[in-house]
Structure formats: structure tokens, C-alpha cells
Amino acid sequence: MRFDTALITGASSGIGEEFGHQLAPLCRRLVLVARRRSRMLDLARNLRGAYPGLDVHVFEADLADDQSLEALVSGLAMQGLVPDLLVNNAGLGDYGEFATARWDRIEEMLRVNIRALTRLCHSVVPAMKELGGGSIINVSSLASILPMPDFAVYAATKAYVTSFSEALRLEVKGHGIRVL
């Protein structure tokens, strides 16, 4: 399968970086999104060197921040970047008892793992419908199917990702949009 434009969140390291390497030969354009601009610039440089002609865009964004998230969505629209593949990979986890966890850390996890993922899906699905198809990969976790002490909020956010993705898949499959 080939894609015109793939957008990858959490692209500066780990699984997100690997998505970049794996998708580069399958895309005309890659959009890398993460907080660490310098790491994304290094990745973009490496991918352009390995795949001449690949168009790589870098967006520095903190998906826990509403203004940064909305700036990303509007920036994509302003540049005419319409993903036919969205990889929602960005995510946060935290370990420890819920009762003693810092609220700001819990809220940040909810914003990235649930709100940003949902907002980005909401921003691309209408365009994918117009294109006649597309694909969305929402990275979840085995934690989504297990209640996990000391990972209560993380596991719950990943349960949301799994449930949301399964429901969205059913809603959009008639439009040629695949959701994983």
C-alpha cells in the first residue's frame, strides 16, 4: 500500500521514529510531529538522504497543550497537508498509586492519550471521506484490556483508545477508511 501523506505523532523517538523509517518508502510525504524538534530534524535529514524525493515536514507540538494542538491542526490546513494516513503514536504513561499521583501528570496523560488522539482523528476523517479513503493507526497497549494497579490512568486511557478505535472503524469503513 502507498500513501500520499502520512502524519506520525510522537515521531522523535521509539515507535514513532520507527514508523517514520518503515513508512518513508511507502509515502510521497511524511509529516513528523513531536515535542523534540532537533530529534525530528535529524530523522527528517536521515529519511531524505535514504529516500531522495521524499517530502518531509516537521511540526514541533506539545499535544498536551490545547493551543499547540490547535496550532498543529490549523498549520496542517494552512500548508495543505491532508493526511491519508494518520499514526496517533504519541502517548504518556506514569507509574504509581493513583491516590498519590500528581494531578498535573494525570491531566497531561489524559490530554495526550485521549484528547489529542481524538482531536486529530476528528480533523482528518472528513478529508479522508472526501478522498474516498485513508488509514488511521491509533497506538494502544495490552494495558487497554487489563485493569492495572499502579498504572490505573494509563490503562484506562488505552482502554479508551481501543474502544474508540473499534467504534470509529465501524463508522468509517463504508467510506474506505481503515482504523487499526
Side-chain angles (χ1 to χ4, degrees), residues 49-70:
Y51 304 97
L54 178 66
D55 186 16
V56 183
H57 296 257
V58 170
F59 282 85
E60 182 179 1
D62 179 354
L63 299 180
D65 179 75
D66 289 344
Q67 288 180 325
S68 185
L69 177 59
E70 291 308 317

Side-chain angles (χ1 to χ4, degrees), residues 8-25:
I8 305 165
T9 68
S12 63
S13 66
I15 295 171
E17 181 180 1
E18 186 60 27
F19 267 116
H21 287 289
Q22 296 296 319
L23 291 172

